[in-house]
Amino acid sequence: MSDTQNRLRKQLESPNFESQNYVKQLSQQSDGDRDLQEHRQKIQNLADETAQNLKKNVYKNYRQFIETAKEISYLESEMYQLSHILTEQKSIMESITQTLLSTDKDETAKEMLTAFPKETEEVKQRTLTTLLEKVEGCKNIMETPGRYLVYNGDLIEYDVDNMSQIQRVHAFLMNDCLLIATWLANRRGAVKYKYNALYDLESFAVVNVKDNPPMKDMFKILMFPDSRIFQAENSKIKKEWLEILEETKKKNVVKDRHKKEEEVPNSPVRPEVSTNPFDVEEPLDSEEAVDLSPEWIQELPEDLDVCIAQRDFEGAVDLLDKLNEYLKDQSVTPRVKELRGKVEERVRQLIDVLVFELSPDRSLRGGPKATRRAVSQLIRLGQSTKACELFLKNRAAAVQTAIRQLRIEGATLLYIHKLCNIFFTSLLETAKEFEMDFKGNTGCYSAFVVWSRSAMKMFVDAFSGQVFDSKESLSTASECVKVAKEHCTQLSEIGLDLTFILQSLLVKDIKAALISYKDIIIEATKHRNSEEMWRKMNLMTPEALTKLKEEMRGCGIGSFEQYTGDDCWVNLSYTVVAFTKQMMGFLEEGLKLYFPELHMVFLESLREVILEATQHVDYSLRCEQDAEKKAFIMQNAIFLHEIVLPVVEKRFEEGVGKPAKQLHDLKKNLRPMRVNPDSTMSVV
């Protein structure tokens, strides 16, 4: 058989295999439908075997696939950082070379600016005004004094994700900002463009995009956490844009630096005397006491922008800690306030990026450890409450996604095993990661307890929908609840006991299941009672009798053998035997589902079921006139009272640990009846 399979496999794997010729040849060689069916089965077996091998290979290499994807992601990030660094170095080298070669030109330009300062400024502003008259919705651009046009041109904007063309734009680069305007489809007079966005030069970084035909001549502008990609008309214009943008940004930085250094305090003016007794005077020479001249402080805002762009969150927070340490004991001066204002803007950008990293919209793969980097940096920034909230929201979305992706197939118990394994493993990993990340923030632990309850509610909804809403048998439901309890106790190893929450969330469904199954037993008992003929039970074969003895012994009825006779006869009614088996099964399954909130419901259900059987026996004794049948009915009544009821009461007390007062009272009230065979009346 294996040789035939190997030959068939080689034939199908052959590069010259043609399905039409193969089927034609097979039809000619076959004797009839049976041969075709056998051959079809061989091909199906081969297909199943191939599918199984493919599945094994996928499982075998699954971890390698994940590790490879992570390595590719890390490599992409490193290449992005390297490209940004090389671009910056290139622009710095070019600016140095240009500065050295154009010293004479700069001196000449300075002389021209000195000779005609007003004319040059007016020309620049006039040019900007003329161009902005063509842009709709930007009248307030000229309100900033000293603003003039540096460069402008047409560009095409592309989508960052799929690199599809979005729109044509016209960019206006000014000495302190960049204006993006879109083309108007329906022009009105001189107006050609419509205002789209305005960015300060300090708020974005320019990155070159490597040519990848047909995508070429592109550059990216990073406005954290967003970005936009533009395409120039050709490589020459792209180079001009990159060079002029970098040069303008540097000039703006130098201008701001000189402006700060040249700030001279105004002539001393006699301060007004405040009448507020709570005002605290600041020392007049406080500004001189704070040295903000170090290069790392001057370049701090730009360094923070670079760290955020390169996703170097740790480096950005380290810079902030260094600045806070430097200014810790320093007095607050206007220059310090200005510096802190710029830094706080970057801090808000950094927090927004970290918040986006923890948002459920991001990929949820990687488990709780994937959030550790963003959470730790938010805690260092003093945002532990927000970090806790976002971490728990991220994990809730991950757990919910995992539950939704779980396929409902096969037996219910198998599904519950998978569901419990996924949920409680995720909960355990989340708890361990939470304890590691928020070790010094004990105030966040209450939030985790609240989150655990909501997560348990999500689990119980999925659990109940599959177990109780689908009307599974009580035995299946009890096994499923048992599995959930066992998994829940595993959390105690980290000091988290959610058993009470699980029970409180399941109590309603379990109560309904117990009552429903009680009603089923009562209806079945009524149906059997309606057909009761009060005859001894004949099992026909010794094997059947042996099996019944084992079932009764398993139910706890050890003295059942005294009611069996020779030749496979049982000295009990079929109705009483069936009721006993069903009753003991209900008791055992109910004990698996038991917890204190269900005590009275379960006990009352047992009482009602027992009453249904005993009342029928009492009714039969009162109505039956045949003395022999009365004696047989009395024997069944004694079996229920002396054998079944004590076993039920004892087993209930063992399983629950509490006395069953209702069952004891019921047994006391249902004393066996003394029957006079010659009378039609029963006497209690």
Side-chain angles (χ1 to χ4, degrees):
M1 187 67 180
S2 59
D3 295 339
T4 305
Q5 290 288 96
N6 291 332
R7 287 198 302 270
L8 181 59
R9 181 185 291 107
K10 291 180 180 179
Q11 186 176 4
L12 295 177
E13 292 176 350
S14 174
N16 300 324
F17 176 76
E18 292 184 2
S19 58
Q20 293 183 353
N21 295 337
Y22 176 75
V23 173
K24 183 178 180 181
Q25 182 180 2
L26 183 64
S27 301
Q28 293 175 353
Q29 295 177 355
S30 299
D31 295 337
D33 180 67
R34 183 175 180 181
D35 291 345
L36 292 176
Q37 291 289 344
E38 291 179 355
H39 204 81
R40 179 180 179 278
Q41 186 62 38
K42 293 178 183 178
I43 296 176
Q44 183 63 42
N45 294 338
L46 187 59
D48 294 340
E49 182 181 352
T50 305
Q52 192 67 24
N53 291 334
L54 287 174
K55 187 181 295 184
K56 289 180 180 179
N57 289 333
V58 170
Y59 289 154
K60 181 179 180 181
N61 301 321
Y62 185 67
R63 186 176 296 278
Q64 295 180 2
F65 292 158
I66 296 176
E67 293 177 355
T68 304
K70 290 182 179 178
E71 292 297 330
I72 292 173
S73 176
Y74 296 151
L75 182 60
E76 182 181 2
S77 176
E78 293 175 358
M79 292 300 296
Y80 173 77
Q81 297 177 12
L82 182 61
S83 174
H84 185 71
I85 294 172
L86 291 175
T87 302
E88 286 188 344
Q89 291 180 349
K90 179 182 177 183
S91 60
I92 293 172
M93 294 298 294
E94 290 179 351
S95 63
I96 293 174
T97 305
Q98 187 175 3
T99 303
L100 294 175
L101 294 177
S102 60
T103 305
D104 296 335
K105 293 182 180 180
D106 291 342
E107 292 178 357
T108 305
K110 289 180 181 178
E111 293 176 0
M112 293 294 294
L113 287 173
T114 305
F116 309 101
K118 292 185 178 179
E119 181 181 354
T120 305
E121 192 70 24
E122 290 176 0
V123 169
K124 291 180 178 178
Q125 291 187 357
R126 192 182 305 117
T127 304
L128 177 61
T129 305
T130 304
L131 287 173
L132 292 181
E133 286 177 354
K134 301 178 181 180
V135 182
E136 179 184 282
C138 62
K139 293 181 180 180
N140 57 347
I141 298 295
M142 291 304 299
E143 293 179 359
T144 303
R147 179 174 287 171
Y148 58 87
L149 183 68
V150 177
Y151 192 75
N152 73 98
D154 292 332
L155 298 170
I156 299 176
E157 184 176 4
Y158 281 77
D159 188 88
V160 178
D161 297 325
N162 53 28
M163 297 304 291
S164 61
Q165 182 174 331
I166 300 177
Q167 58 187 348
R168 288 183 62 191
V169 300
H170 195 90
F172 299 87
L173 176 63
M174 287 158 270
N175 59 322
D176 61 344
C177 61
L178 176 65
L179 171 66
I180 304 296
T182 58
W183 282 71
L184 284 174
N186 301 321
R187 299 181 181 178
R188 295 182 293 276
V191 179
K192 294 183 178 179
Y193 316 107
K194 183 179 180 180
Y195 173 85
N196 179 261
L198 182 68
Y199 305 108
D200 292 335
L201 292 183
E202 297 180 355
S203 66
F204 66 86
V206 184
V207 179
N208 180 34
V209 178
K210 185 178 179 182
D211 290 347
N212 185 17
M215 301 301 173
K216 59 181 182 177
D217 304 329
M218 293 183 173
F219 61 92
K220 181 184 291 188
I221 294 180
L222 302 175
M223 298 79 59
F224 315 106
D226 301 323
S227 61
R228 300 177 74 170
I229 291 183
F230 300 100
Q231 183 183 48
E233 185 177 352
N234 51 52
S235 58
K236 180 181 178 181
I237 295 178
K238 170 190 172 181
K239 183 178 179 182
E240 290 178 359
W241 269 109
L242 292 175
E243 293 176 352
I244 294 174
L245 277 167
E246 289 296 330
E247 183 179 354
T248 307
K249 285 171 66 67
K250 290 177 183 177
K251 286 182 179 180
N252 189 51
V253 173
V254 173
K255 180 181 177 182
D256 291 343
R257 187 180 303 170
H258 289 329
K259 185 178 179 181
K260 295 174 186 176
E261 293 175 354
E262 293 172 1
E263 283 182 351
V264 179
N266 297 328
S267 57
V269 179
R270 184 177 179 180
E272 297 181 0
V273 178
S274 174
T275 59
N276 187 352
F278 298 102
D279 284 347
V280 179
E281 291 188 5
E282 293 184 0
L284 295 177
D285 59 344
S286 60
E287 188 170 351
E288 299 177 1
V290 183
D291 182 15
L292 300 181
S293 60
E295 185 177 357
W296 71 270
I297 293 182
Q298 296 293 329
E299 297 179 355
L300 183 64
E302 289 75 19
D303 291 341
L304 288 174
D305 288 338
V306 173
C307 288
I308 297 174
Q310 295 177 350
R311 301 173 64 79
D312 183 12
F313 307 136
E314 295 83 358
V317 180
D318 290 340
L319 287 174
L320 293 172
D321 290 343
K322 185 178 179 182
L323 177 65
N324 291 332
E325 183 67 24
Y326 183 80
L327 299 177
K328 182 172 63 175
D329 299 326
Q330 303 291 347
S331 56
V332 180
T333 66
R335 292 182 62 195
V336 172
K337 288 182 178 179
E338 183 180 358
L339 176 61
R340 285 196 177 278
K342 291 184 177 181
V343 171
E344 286 174 0
E345 182 180 352
R346 271 71 177 183
V347 171
R348 285 193 295 270
Q349 294 177 1
L350 177 59
I351 291 176
D352 291 341
V353 174
L354 293 173
V355 168
F356 179 71
E357 286 292 312
L358 291 173
S359 64
D361 297 333
R362 298 280 288 171
S363 176
L364 298 173
R365 296 182 179 179
K369 294 181 181 179
T371 62
R372 184 182 301 170
R373 186 183 178 208
V375 168
S376 61
Q377 302 314 312
L378 278 175
I379 294 175
R380 290 180 62 188
L381 291 172
Q383 302 288 328
S384 58
T385 302
K386 181 176 289 187
C388 175
E389 179 184 356
L390 292 171
F391 172 79
L392 295 178
K393 282 184 178 179
N394 181 282
R395 296 312 308 151
V399 172
Q400 188 173 14
T401 302
I403 291 176
R404 286 180 178 176
Q405 291 178 349
L406 184 61
R407 297 181 61 184
I408 302 175
E409 57 182 2
T412 300
L413 186 58
L414 178 61
Y415 170 81
I416 295 301
H417 272 289
K418 294 180 180 179
L419 176 64
C420 292
N421 187 47
I422 289 175
F423 174 76
F424 286 102
T425 301
S426 299
L427 196 62
L428 186 62
E429 292 177 352
T430 301
K432 291 180 178 179
E433 185 65 26
F434 186 90
E435 187 177 10
M436 183 180 299
D437 292 345
F438 299 92
K439 193 172 184 180
N441 298 273
T442 54
C444 296
Y445 280 76
S446 58
F448 178 75
V449 175
V450 174
W451 175 85
S452 300
R453 179 178 177 83
S454 63
M456 184 64 74
K457 177 69 166 59
M458 185 193 314
F459 164 77
V460 170
D461 289 341
F463 181 93
S464 298
Q466 187 64 22
V467 176
F468 296 108
D469 294 348
S470 58
K471 305 299 181 182
E472 291 288 343
S473 64
L474 192 65
S475 60
T476 301
S478 63
E479 288 297 327
C480 293
V481 172
K482 181 182 177 183
V483 171
K485 287 182 179 179
E486 290 174 353
H487 278 81
C488 199
T489 54
Q490 295 176 1
L491 298 176
S492 59
E493 66 182 59
I494 59 170
L496 184 65
D497 190 359
L498 300 178
T499 305
F500 175 75
I501 296 177
L502 176 65
Q503 292 177 352
S504 64
L505 293 173
L506 286 176
V507 63
K508 182 179 179 181
D509 291 324
I510 296 179
K511 185 185 295 184
L514 288 174
I515 294 175
S516 175
Y517 197 71
K518 174 206 69 175
D519 294 338
I520 292 174
I521 294 178
I522 290 176
E523 288 298 322
T525 304
K526 287 181 178 179
H527 178 71
R528 288 193 297 266
N529 290 343
S530 65
E531 300 177 353
E532 179 59 78
M533 301 298 293
W534 293 112
R535 296 176 180 175
K536 292 183 180 181
M537 190 175 178
N538 185 4
L539 295 177
M540 308 300 291
T541 62
E543 291 79 8
L545 180 60
T546 303
K547 182 179 179 182
L548 179 60
K549 290 179 181 179
E550 292 176 356
E551 290 177 355
M552 286 297 181
R553 197 178 299 113
C555 293
I557 312 297
S559 57
F560 179 74
E561 292 189 5
Q562 70 184 28
Y563 290 92
T564 60
D566 299 332
D567 299 331
C568 308
W569 286 92
V570 178
N571 297 324
L572 292 172
S573 165
Y574 165 77
T575 301
V576 172
V577 173
F579 167 79
T580 302
K581 291 165 60 177
Q582 201 168 21
M583 175 68 194
M584 298 306 296
F586 178 51
L587 175 63
E588 292 299 327
E589 301 303 336
L591 288 175
K592 293 179 183 178
L593 295 169
Y594 177 86
F595 43 87
E597 290 80 0
L598 298 170
H599 183 82
M600 292 305 301
V601 175
F602 185 35
L603 200 56
E604 189 62 29
S605 298
L606 291 173
R607 180 177 174 279
E608 290 182 21
V609 171
I610 294 171
L611 271 177
E612 181 63 33
T614 55
Q615 286 175 354
H616 173 68
V617 173
D618 179 45
Y619 176 77
S620 299
L621 275 173
R622 296 179 185 279
C623 297
E624 184 60 52
Q625 297 186 7
D626 184 87
E628 185 177 352
K629 280 192 175 182
K630 278 189 176 183
F632 179 68
I633 295 173
M634 189 63 188
Q635 188 175 0
N636 283 271
I638 294 173
F639 173 77
L640 289 175
H641 184 271
E642 302 295 338
I643 304 298
V644 177
L645 285 182
V647 171
V648 171
E649 183 180 357
K650 181 181 178 182
R651 182 69 186 94
F652 182 87
E653 292 178 352
E654 289 176 352
V656 173
K658 296 180 181 179
K661 186 176 181 301
Q662 287 84 346
L663 294 180
H664 181 74
D665 293 342
L666 179 64
K667 177 185 174 184
K668 186 177 179 181
N669 294 331
L670 295 175
R671 295 190 302 273
M673 301 178 181
R674 300 188 302 274
V675 181
N676 183 0
D678 299 329
S679 173
T680 59
M681 300 295 293
S682 61
V683 182
V684 179

